[in-house]
Amino acid sequence: MTIQVPIKNVLPLNTQQMDHIKAVIDECSTSQLIWLAGYFWGLSNQEKNLNGNVSQSEAIDIPTITIISASQNGNARGLAEKLHSSIIDAKLKANLIHARDYKFKNIGQELFFILITCTQGNGEPPEEAIALYRFLMSKKAPDMHSSSYAVFGLGDTSYEFFNQAGKEFDQRLSELGAQRLLDRVDADVEYSELAHVWRIKLIEILKQKIRLSSTDKLPPSIDNAHTVQHTVYDKYHPLHARLLINQKITGRGSDKDIRHLEIDLMQSNLQYQPGDALGVWFENDPALVQELLKLLSLTGEEIVIVKGCSIPIEQALRQHYELTVNTARIVEHYAQISQNPLLIEKINHSCTLQVYAKKTPIVDMVRHAPSKLDAEKLISILRPCTPRLYSIASSQDENKNEVHIAVNAVRFYVEGRARTGGASGYLADRLHEEDEIRIFIEPNNNFRLPKNPCTPIIMIGPGTGIAPFRAFMQQRDYDRATGKNWLFFGNPHFTEDFLYQVEWQKYVRDGLLTRIDLAWSRDQKNKIYVQDKIHDNGNDIWNWIQEDAHIYVCGNANHMAKDVEQALLQVISTFGAMEITDADEFLSNLRTQGRYQRDVY
C-alpha cells in the first residue's frame, strides 16, 4: 500500500533553516557533500538512550578544541581535517574552522587552540590567515593566559624564510600568555610521517589535559560500514588523464615560452570551480638524471628502497625525487659528504648559502664539487618529488569535461648549460598530445567570484597570473552575469606576449569586459607595470570600490603582489581622503569581507 504524504510535511525545517543549509551546500563539491551526508548521519546516531533532547556530549561537559587551518594550496587544510577526525575518534570535542571564517576577536576565550599553517611568498602567512595574523600582532590582541595551544607549520626549505609564519604565530601566542601543548613543528614538503607522530602526541596530551579516560561514555564515531563508497582523486590518488592540447601562446620573438594546455578529464566526474588550482605530478628529465648519475659514477642500476619497494636508482631519481630545486639543507649535507672547500665556505655563511642554493641546481653543485656517493646516500640527501599547482584557466560550465592551464616554461643557463624547471619542462617539452598526465584538483576557497552576479570585479594579473581570470570571464559569460568586469594585464611586449588576446578582444567587443588596461614593460623606454596602471586609474578604481567591487590579484608574491598592494593603498589613501594607516585598515577590512582576494606564489 502506498501512502501519499503532502510535500509540506516532508521537510521538518522552516524557510530560514533551509536558506542557511542551501548557502552552505551551494559551495560544496560532490566529495564534500558526501562527507556532509556521513557527518549528519553520525550526528543523528549520537542521541541514543537519552532523556529529552540532551546528547551525551552535552551531558558530559568536555571543553571544545578549536582547530584552525590556514591554507594556501590545501595541505594545511588536509592535515587539519585529519587531526579533526582523529580527535573525534578519540572521543573528544573539536571544531574545525578555516582561518578566513574564524572570528579572531574571540581568540582569548579559547581553552585549546590548534593552528596548522603554511607560509607563502617572502615569509608571510597564507592569504586566509592575514587578518588573524595582523590582529594577533596588534595591540588589540587579548591576554591568552587561560589558553593552551599548538602550532604545526608547513613549509619548503628551498625558501629562505622557511616556515616563518608558523614561527611567528607560535612566538606571538606564547607572548600573549598561552601555554604550549607541545613544541612547534616545522615541516618540509614531505610531512606525512612527521604529522602522524605529532597528531598522536597531541591527542595524548589533550586527553591528559581534559582528564578524559578511555572508559568515558561518549558518542561513538561513525561506522565506516555506513559511509558512501566513492572515488576521490587527490594528491595521493591522482586522476590519470589525457593531454589534448599543448600549444605555445607567446610569439616567436618572445623571451617567454608560455604554453596553453587542455586536459581531458576522462568522464571522471572530477569537479572544479573558477579560482581552483590543478595539481600536476611530473617526472624529471631522463637526460638530467643520466648527467647526475655520470657525475657520481653510478650506473643507474643500483637498487634503492623507496616507499618500501626496491627499484633502480635511475627510476627513483626520475620519478620520486626533486632534482631541479636545490636547498640550503641539501648543500649542507652534500658539503659534509664531499668535504669540498668551496661548499664548506658557503655553509659557514648563511646568506651566501641561500643565494648559492637558489642559483645552483643540484647537478651543477655536484659538478662544482665532485664526490663518490653511493645510491642510498644520494637519495638520503634529496627531497621527495612534490606536485606543482597551476591556476586553472577554464570554467567547467564552459568546458564540461576539460580543464585548462597556462604554464610558463622555466628556462635558463648555468655556465653555458641549458636548464629547465622540473614540472614546466616536463609539461612543455616532454608531454605530448594524447600522453597520460596525473592530476588532481586543489580547491581554493579564498579566490572565488562574488555570489552576486551583479557585483563588479577588478582583476589584476600579469604574465600567467591572467589564467584564473580567463576562468572568471568564462564563468561570468556562462552565468550571464551583469556585473562590470575590469582587467589589468601586463607582460613585456604587446605583439609577442598578449596571452589569450583574441578572447579578451572578443569579451571587450561583446561588452562583457567593461574595461581593460594593459602594461607592456619593454615596448617603450620607461618600463610600465600593472601597478603603474593602477596609479593612473586611481579615481575610477576608488569609484568601483565604492560600488562594492571585488578585487583579485594573481601572480608573483615577492614583487608584483607587494607592488600592487602598495598601489592600492595609495589609491585608497588619496581618493578616500585618509591616512595610509587608515587605508591599510580599510584594505584589511576588504580582505576580511572577501572583497580583496589574492592567489600569489
Side-chain angles (χ1 to χ4, degrees):
M1 177 179 178
T2 302
I3 300 175
Q4 298 293 330
V5 180
I7 293 178
K8 66 179 181 179
N9 293 330
V10 173
L11 295 177
L13 303 173
N14 60 39
T15 302
Q16 185 177 11
Q17 289 172 321
M18 284 301 299
D19 288 342
H20 285 316
I21 292 174
K22 192 173 185 301
V24 173
I25 65 176
D26 280 350
E27 295 186 356
C28 291
S29 65
T30 301
S31 61
Q32 289 171 328
L33 289 172
I34 292 171
W35 183 92
L36 283 172
Y39 175 74
F40 288 132
W41 183 92
L43 288 179
S44 68
N45 281 271
Q46 285 182 359
E47 300 186 6
K48 294 180 179 179
N49 302 318
L50 305 178
N51 294 321
N53 294 321
V54 181
S55 68
Q56 290 181 12
S57 59
E58 291 171 334
I60 301 173
D61 187 17
I62 297 173
T64 298
I65 302 155
T66 297
I67 306 168
I68 304 296
S69 72
S71 191
Q72 189 71 17
N73 58 21
N75 290 334
R77 181 172 58 251
L79 179 53
E81 290 169 353
K82 286 183 179 179
L83 175 62
H84 181 258
S85 296
S86 297
I87 288 177
I88 298 303
D89 288 343
K91 300 181 180 179
L92 302 176
K93 290 170 63 177
N95 284 336
L96 172 57
I97 310 172
H98 296 161
R100 70 176 184 277
D101 299 324
Y102 182 60
K103 306 301 182 185
F104 49 79
K105 292 184 179 179
N106 297 327
I107 193 171
Q109 301 171 23
E110 301 288 0
L111 294 179
F112 297 99
F113 182 81
I114 314 299
L115 175 65
I116 301 173
T117 182
C118 66
T119 297
Q120 65 151 334
N122 201 28
E124 291 88 11
E127 287 297 308
E128 67 170 338
I130 289 178
L132 171 62
Y133 175 86
R134 290 185 174 179
F135 174 75
L136 285 175
M137 298 300 168
S138 73
K139 294 180 180 179
K140 298 178 181 179
D143 179 278
M144 295 188 65
H145 281 85
S146 61
S147 303
S148 296
Y149 77 97
V151 174
F152 192 102
L154 290 162
D156 185 336
T157 51
S158 66
Y159 290 92
E160 181 178 359
F161 298 99
F162 170 60
N163 265 326
Q164 187 66 27
K167 294 172 182 176
E168 292 183 4
F169 273 121
D170 178 65
Q171 179 179 340
R172 184 55 174 161
L173 289 168
S174 178
E175 290 173 352
L176 294 172
Q179 302 300 308
R180 287 188 185 90
L181 291 165
L182 73 173
D183 290 340
R184 182 191 72 247
V185 174
D186 294 326
D188 203 351
V189 290
E190 183 50 59
Y191 59 85
S192 55
E193 185 61 32
L194 195 62
H196 177 71
V197 173
W198 174 79
R199 198 159 52 241
I200 292 173
K201 288 182 179 178
L202 177 60
I203 291 173
E204 287 304 313
I205 292 171
L206 287 168
K207 280 183 176 180
Q208 294 172 15
K209 290 281 186 180
I210 296 173
R211 302 180 185 278
L212 177 68
S213 72
S214 60
T215 58
D216 282 322
K217 296 180 180 180
L218 281 178
S221 58
I222 297 174
D223 185 348
N224 289 333
H226 294 276
T227 59
V228 180
Q229 298 299 315
H230 60 284
T231 301
V232 177
Y233 298 105
D234 58 20
K235 176 179 177 180
Y236 300 105
H237 308 91
L239 170 68
H240 291 245
R242 180 171 61 101
L243 180 65
L244 297 173
I245 291 177
N246 183 345
Q247 178 184 6
K248 185 177 180 182
I249 55 174
T250 43
R252 292 181 180 179
S254 175
D255 293 332
K256 297 184 176 185
D257 179 1
I258 296 178
R259 304 298 179 100
H260 170 74
L261 274 68
E262 298 185 3
I263 300 164
D264 183 2
L265 296 180
M266 309 288 287
Q267 302 297 326
S268 62
N269 199 33
L270 194 68
Q271 302 293 311
Y272 65 87
Q273 299 181 55
D276 287 343
L278 185 74
V280 177
W281 283 100
F282 67 96
E283 293 188 5
N284 287 306
D285 186 350
L288 178 65
V289 172
Q290 290 300 324
E291 184 179 355
L292 180 60
L293 290 170
K294 186 176 180 180
L295 287 169
L296 295 169
S297 301
L298 295 170
T299 67
E301 298 178 0
E302 294 84 357
I303 300 299
V304 293
I305 306 298
V306 179
K307 298 180 180 178
C309 298
S310 299
I311 60 174
I313 182 67
E314 187 276 338
Q315 180 185 347
L317 295 178
R318 184 163 39 86
Q319 298 179 344
H320 297 286
Y321 290 93
E322 288 276 8
L323 295 184
T324 55
V325 178
N326 203 354
T327 70
R329 189 171 297 177
I330 292 174
V331 177
E332 288 176 347
H333 289 165
Y334 187 72
Q336 292 166 1
I337 292 169
S338 66
Q339 287 299 302
N340 181 272
L342 170 66
L343 297 185
I344 295 295
E345 182 182 353
K346 300 287 185 189
I347 65 175
N348 289 330
H349 300 84
S350 59
C351 293
T352 305
L353 176 61
Q354 287 287 348
V355 173
Y356 178 82
K358 187 175 182 179
K359 293 185 175 180
T360 312
I362 293 170
V363 67
D364 294 294
M365 175 187 70
V366 173
R367 186 183 303 282
H368 294 162
S371 176
K372 284 258 182 179
L373 204 63
D374 64 48
E376 286 287 356
K377 189 165 287 187
L378 171 59
I379 65 171
S380 73
I381 69 172
L382 298 177
R383 302 195 311 164
C385 191
T386 55
R388 301 296 192 261
L389 298 178
Y390 296 95
S391 298
I392 292 176
S394 57
S395 159
Q396 196 161 28
D397 284 326
E398 183 75 20
N399 305 272
K400 301 298 182 185
N401 204 39
E402 297 177 5
V403 61
H404 303 170
I405 56 175
V407 177
N408 182 18
V410 177
R411 304 189 191 281
F412 58 101
Y413 287 87
V414 176
E415 298 175 350
R417 295 180 177 85
R419 302 296 183 206
T420 62
S424 65
Y426 167 76
L427 293 170
D429 302 334
R430 301 194 303 284
L431 194 68
H432 306 291
E433 294 174 6
E434 301 300 321
D435 283 351
E436 181 179 276
I437 178 173
R438 295 173 296 152
I439 62 170
F440 60 95
I441 301 299
E442 193 61 68
N444 184 0
N445 293 322
N446 302 310
F447 206 71
R448 291 283 187 249
L449 280 166
K451 293 180 180 180
N452 185 346
C454 300
T455 302
I457 64 173
I458 299 172
M459 303 167 285
I460 306 166
T464 53
I466 201 173
F469 302 135
R470 181 176 184 263
F472 278 18
M473 293 303 292
Q474 288 184 2
Q475 190 66 48
R476 298 273 270 192
D477 192 22
Y478 179 87
D479 293 338
R480 300 182 183 276
T482 58
K484 297 187 296 182
N485 306 292
W486 187 352
L487 174 70
F488 288 87
F489 172 70
N491 239 350
H493 301 285
F494 168 75
T495 57
E496 306 290 340
D497 304 310
F498 194 169
L499 307 183
Y500 303 111
Q501 177 181 356
V502 174
E503 295 180 32
W504 294 116
Q505 289 174 333
K506 180 179 183 301
Y507 286 139
V508 170
R509 186 171 60 252
D510 294 347
L512 183 66
L513 187 58
T514 314
R515 292 188 60 167
I516 183 170
D517 279 271
L518 305 170
W520 309 112
S521 60
R522 303 298 191 274
D523 275 351
Q524 61 286 312
K525 183 177 180 180
N526 296 322
K527 295 179 180 178
I528 299 176
Y529 298 104
V530 289
Q531 57 266 29
D532 299 312
K533 291 293 183 177
I534 291 171
H535 282 295
D536 293 344
N537 294 277
N539 187 45
D540 288 342
I541 290 173
W542 176 249
N543 289 336
W544 278 50
I545 292 174
Q546 295 302 106
E547 295 171 10
D548 295 326
H550 286 214
I551 303 172
Y552 301 89
V553 181
C554 183
N556 182 276
N558 291 331
H559 302 291
M560 182 281 300
K562 289 185 176 180
D563 292 338
V564 165
E565 182 154 313
Q566 288 303 311
L568 289 172
L569 286 172
Q570 193 61 52
V571 166
I572 293 168
S573 175
T574 301
F575 297 96
M578 61 184 79
E579 298 293 331
I580 198 68
T581 53
D582 295 327
D584 185 67
E585 185 173 354
F586 182 92
L587 192 60
S588 293
N589 289 334
L590 291 185
R591 192 193 305 270
T592 303
Q593 298 164 22
R595 289 181 55 199
Y596 176 45
Q597 301 180 40
R598 305 195 309 170
D599 180 10
V600 297
Y601 40 84

